[in-house]
Amino acid sequence: MDVPQIKKAAKVYDVVIVGSGAGGGMAAYQLSKAGANVALLEAGGYFDPADPKYINQLKWVYESPRRGAGTTRAFGDFDAAWGGWEIEGEPYSAAKGTEFHWFRSRMLGGRTNHWGRISLRFGPDDFKRKSLTGIGEDWPLGYEDYAPYYDKVDDLIGVFGSKEGLRDAPDGRFLPPPKPRLHELMIKKAAKGIGIPVIPSRLSILTKPIHDRGGCFYCAQCGRACQAYADFSSSSVLCIPAVKTGRVNLINNAMAREVLTDAKTGLVTGVSYVDTLTMTEQAVMGKVVVLAASTCETARLLLNSKSPRFQNGLANSSGVVGKYLNDSTGASRSAFIPSLMDRKRYNEDGVGGAHIYTPWWLDNKKLDFPRGYHIEYGGGMGMPMYGFGFGMEGRNNMVPGRDGKPKEAGGYGADLKDDFRRFYGANIGMAGRGEPVPLESNYCEIDPNTVDRYGIPTLRFNYKWSDAEIKQAKHMQDTFEEIIHAMGGIPLGKKPGPENNYGLEAPGKIIHEIGTARMGNDPKTSVLNKYSQAHDVKNLFVVDAAAFPSQGDKNVTWTILANSWRTSDYIIDQVKQKNI
Amino acid sequence: MKRRDSLKAITLSSLGFAGLNPQIAAAESIVPPDIKPVKIPGGRQKFEAERDAKLKADKFFTPHELRTVTVLGDIIIPADAKSGSASQAGVPAFIEFMMKDQPQWQTPMRGGIRWLDNVCVKRFEKKFADCTKAQQIEIVDEIAYPAKAKPNMSQGVSFFNMMRGFVATGFFTSPIGIKDLGYVGNTPNQWEGVPADVLKQYNLSYDE
Ligand SMILES: Cc1cc2nc3c(=O)[nH]c(=O)nc-3n(C[C@H](O)[C@H](O)[C@H](O)COP(=O)(O)OP(=O)(O)OC[C@H]3O[C@@H](n4cnc5c(N)ncnc54)[C@H](O)[C@@H]3O)c2cc1C
Ligand code: SF4
């Protein structure tokens, strides 16, 4: 297509990459290091965790007039994300009776500036769910294909953990893990006693400095992004070094509108975009286009890139683009641990995340739901933030007062003030993160009625959980209570039951969405081949989680990084062989 | 009028008067604080800095409401041997800000104060803040303990629960409150694990 008012740049890049998050950052890094000239389009602004302009790290809670409340930032006033569940002028919708929540960050590095840094490899079984269980889909690749890339990602980016020898939670090339905090030791002891494993977390945080980056100084604030570059953000660890090669033209505030194609050859020729600062239409041309705008946005781009040759959207002869969208399941519970009252104070900030976790430990063949989950834990004597002290009237009668006498819940005055001190650091939380069954009926599509402020048609989601996920959430809730009781704890609030799907979070809420342009060997049932190359268009690639046929009971980002590296290697190889 | 335009308008009028009355000119050349271009502090987005500046310039509480919040706040968290009171920690100003930052609280807060005043006027012929300390405590005792409160006080219980939460957050996120609570982090350090005496106290070890 050729819209006259679009300013087409004369230069033709070797590669145009859309999006600078985990997937796009890794591709920009690998391709530029290999010598390619890259244009990197990023819809959001420039961000560098080490530039004082952007730093929230080590600020005190009272430096925020709202004391850290999440009024303009969903995960709190100091969180690094620019964006959130809603972005002004960029709406999305859900079909009646369905629900999906879409978290977007508009900035260099995307959502990796403030993610949880939980960096898990998929296990061998995660690639073979269909052959193992009869439902879902197999990947066209196996663990053995990814293992060398996981190793390389571990070495380049850095991740701590421990060698456990677990079959479906494979060990990596780990930095030393931090020791558990007090409540984590208590969780570990209690869970072990009832047969639930608890092992050191696997987080991409540098407990030892590597490459030119600083070591972690244990401020617990990775969500604010680390000025020492001691945690993994695509901005600091991939994009900025890639720009330093001199071969990457980073174009910020560039909102991709469509992938451009040549009507004769059917190949992609570049990307048109809106310069969001000047609101002008631009285009950048390239020999190869790599999409990494994040799972749903990549589907949106493909579906919006319609032309007489690609009437269904680009790379969509299968009709599969947008389908099989799936997010991790999530359910949680918190508890009060009486033995943690009146704790001795010391600095237990630690790293910006739990120091322990529970990998999936059971056999689904013996359960009434087909997929597993892992458990993440929280607690400790953190910096008091907005919300501290709310709900005390449901808590301070659970244990006798200092004088040993029963107490009335609620209250005021010196006695209440003392209760806040006594209860500080005595709460824990746990959250299950599970694998859903990918379904064709869960999908995103172009909303026929709506455009965003740039005039780009928006997404409409269609997503419903199935019985498999609801039963899994029920199992999570039972497990949480078992662990809490084994610790001598008191679960807080009412146990979630069938009336609210056992606390199962709405689709999208766990922010691990994948699957809208899945890879596979059959072009009729998949969008990409096993190199994340479009079946229909050989110079078009996808390096975010849109490519993934399934989720695993792991968080997905480490696999995005491994897959993007693998795809980049393939692109380099194909260019060398003059195939693209 | 957009901020830029109003700035322009001010400068123009200043110029116009300059030759006539030096005093007016001097007064006008001091740009009122609320229309200064907002400085964006580190870590903030532009829209956030502008929003914060606007919220800080706005007022929500009437003087009477602010006085009531202050009195109630110091009943909920008074000074004691260890630290100061809610008002000494700046809690009323924090609550004022939150009312503007998250307007969903405005009705429960404003209405709650009215409810409280109404109960006090009926019983003591005075608004809550004007009651004696003993009268204030008499009412607070009836709304501070949800389980034993009388049904006709249930709205007061909800209001007091909300106030208790705001006062606690405001106090314990202030410098005074953080020191009182004993939070000692937010500073570069090395994490070496739970201190040995604490491990011993809980009968735990790292070798299990
Ligand atoms: C709070 C939070 C915690 C998380 N914790 C974890 C965790 O512990 N472990 C884990 O594995 N995962 C976690 N995740 C998920 C993780 O952040 C994502 O899986 C990962 O960032 C996805 O990478 P991506 O490259 O696909 O997309 P993103 O990181 O979202 O990057 C996409 C980029 O593309 C840009 N873009 C979008 N549309 C366009 C367009 N049209 N034109 C140009 N640019 C565009 C965006 O601005 C963005 O910068 C978490 C997410 C959140 C929000
Ligand atoms: S916990 Fe460590 S890695 Fe995370 S932000 Fe603090 S210093 Fe950086």
Side-chain angles (χ1 to χ4, degrees), chain A residues 59 66 71 77 180 388 421, chain B residues 42 44 52 101 169 180 206:
Chain A
K59 278 193 189 162
R66 59 188 62 74
T71 316
D77 213 21
F388 182 98
R421 298 174 188 132
Chain B
R44 298 282 83 195
D52 284 359
D101 190 47
T169 280
D180 178 321
Y206 279 116

Side-chain angles (χ1 to χ4, degrees), chain A residues 358-541:
Chain A
T358 292
W360 178 234
W361 69 103
L362 295 172
D363 180 356
N364 289 96
K365 286 198 196 88
K366 298 176 187 145
L367 297 163
D368 66 349
F369 55 98
R371 302 287 195 266
Y373 60 90
H374 71 268
I375 308 175
E376 303 172 4
Y377 300 97
M381 297 185 285
M383 193 191 302
M385 286 283 168
Y386 181 79
F388 182 98
F390 274 87
M392 189 53 124
E393 64 278 2
R395 193 91 36 96
N396 61 345
N397 63 332
M398 284 179 175
V399 277
R402 280 196 200 271
D403 56 7
K405 288 190 191 133
K407 283 186 69 129
E408 189 70 41
Y412 62 91
D415 187 54
L416 173 76
K417 191 177 180 185
D418 192 42
D419 278 344
F420 289 118
R421 298 174 188 132
R422 302 195 66 204
F423 280 76
Y424 174 55
N427 270 11
I428 60 159
M430 45 192 82
R433 296 286 179 259
E435 178 173 4
V437 175
L439 298 174
E440 190 178 5
S441 54
N442 286 336
Y443 61 96
C444 56
E445 62 186 338
I446 299 300
D447 188 324
N449 306 316
T450 315
V451 293
D452 66 10
R453 63 195 293 244
Y454 310 111
I456 305 174
T458 61
L459 284 181
R460 178 167 69 192
F461 291 95
N462 297 257
Y463 200 124
K464 275 186 190 163
W465 290 125
S466 73
D467 217 34
E469 291 79 34
I470 295 166
K471 284 186 173 141
Q472 189 194 54
K474 177 178 189 300
H475 193 271
M476 290 181 191
Q477 295 296 351
D478 294 339
T479 305
F480 299 156
E481 285 212 338
E482 279 175 45
I483 297 174
I484 293 165
H485 289 140
M487 294 177 75
I490 304 170
L492 294 173
K494 190 172 161 278
K495 184 178 182 180
E499 68 289 350
N500 59 355
N501 283 348
Y502 304 92
L504 180 60
E505 297 275 2
K509 280 280 182 179
I510 308 305
I511 324 181
H512 294 155
E513 67 285 356
I514 69 152
T516 56
R518 66 180 190 175
M519 58 168 98
N521 291 325
D522 182 353
K524 285 197 208 67
T525 58
S526 60
V527 178
L528 309 168
N529 68 19
K530 64 181 178 179
Y531 299 104
S532 298
Q533 178 181 34
H535 287 302
D536 299 349
V537 189
K538 68 177 180 179
N539 62 343
L540 175 65
F541 296 82

Side-chain angles (χ1 to χ4, degrees), chain A residues 57-58 117 204-207 214-232 349-353, chain B residues 188-189:
Chain A
Q57 193 185 24
L58 294 181
R117 272 79 181 183
S204 44
I205 294 172
L206 303 186
T207 48
C216 174
F217 53 80
Y218 304 98
C219 74
Q221 295 169 13
C222 297
R224 304 186 188 188
C226 187
Q227 58 190 290
Y229 292 179
D231 56 13
F232 170 67
D349 279 350
V351 303
Chain B
N189 73 106

Side-chain angles (χ1 to χ4, degrees), chain A residues 123-366:
Chain A
D125 294 351
D126 290 320
F127 298 97
K128 296 190 168 44
R129 289 295 178 210
K130 185 173 189 182
S131 2
L132 290 172
T133 68
I135 51 171
E137 192 50 88
D138 285 352
W139 289 50
L141 297 161
Y143 181 71
E144 55 295 346
D145 298 297
Y146 282 102
Y149 286 97
Y150 282 134
D151 284 352
K152 291 203 269 188
V153 172
D154 291 357
D155 288 344
L156 175 69
I157 291 177
V159 52
F160 70 69
S162 57
K163 300 265 183 203
E164 301 288 337
L166 299 170
R167 195 186 112 72
D168 213 45
D171 296 332
R173 296 163 62 86
F174 292 133
L175 300 168
K179 287 180 177 169
R181 302 171 177 98
L182 179 60
H183 67 276
E184 294 172 335
L185 281 173
M186 295 169 78
I187 290 168
K188 186 174 158 191
K189 189 171 169 181
K192 245 172 96 178
I194 54 172
I196 298 171
V198 173
I199 65 171
S201 292
R202 296 167 171 187
L203 308 183
S204 44
I205 294 172
L206 303 186
T207 48
K208 274 190 178 155
I210 58 168
H211 311 306
D212 295 331
R213 294 158 55 201
C216 174
F217 53 80
Y218 304 98
C219 74
Q221 295 169 13
C222 297
R224 304 186 188 188
C226 187
Q227 58 190 290
Y229 292 179
D231 56 13
F232 170 67
S233 296
S234 175
S235 53
S236 54
V237 179
L238 298 173
C239 295
I240 292 171
V243 169
K244 282 197 180 134
T245 63
R247 283 186 289 274
V248 175
N249 181 17
L250 168 64
I251 311 176
N252 279 110
N253 308 301
M255 179 74 189
R257 173 189 292 283
E258 275 175 45
V259 181
L260 305 174
T261 48
D262 183 302
K264 279 201 272 318
T265 62
L267 293 174
V268 298
T269 56
V271 175
S272 70
Y273 66 92
V274 180
D275 177 331
T276 62
L277 298 183
T278 59
M279 289 302 264
T280 51
E281 299 288 332
Q282 309 279 342
V284 59
M285 312 313 290
K287 295 175 198 157
V288 170
V289 170
V290 174
L291 299 183
S294 82
T295 296
C296 300
E297 187 74 30
T298 286
R300 179 182 176 207
L301 268 167
L302 290 173
L303 293 170
N304 274 332
S305 302
K306 282 188 191 150
S307 63
R309 187 165 176 148
F310 299 105
Q311 300 194 1
N312 238 348
L314 188 58
N316 196 22
S317 63
S318 62
V320 170
V321 172
K323 291 182 179 160
Y324 301 100
L325 169 64
N326 65 100
D327 182 29
S328 292
T329 58
S332 61
R333 194 81 194 272
S334 58
F336 160 56
I337 311 295
S339 63
L340 280 172
M341 283 185 80
D342 302 313
R343 298 180 59 177
K344 181 177 168 174
R345 309 305 205 234
Y346 53 91
N347 183 350
E348 70 165 4
D349 279 350
V351 303
H355 295 183
I356 53 160
Y357 89 111
T358 292
W360 178 234
W361 69 103
L362 295 172
D363 180 356
N364 289 96
K365 286 198 196 88
K366 298 176 187 145

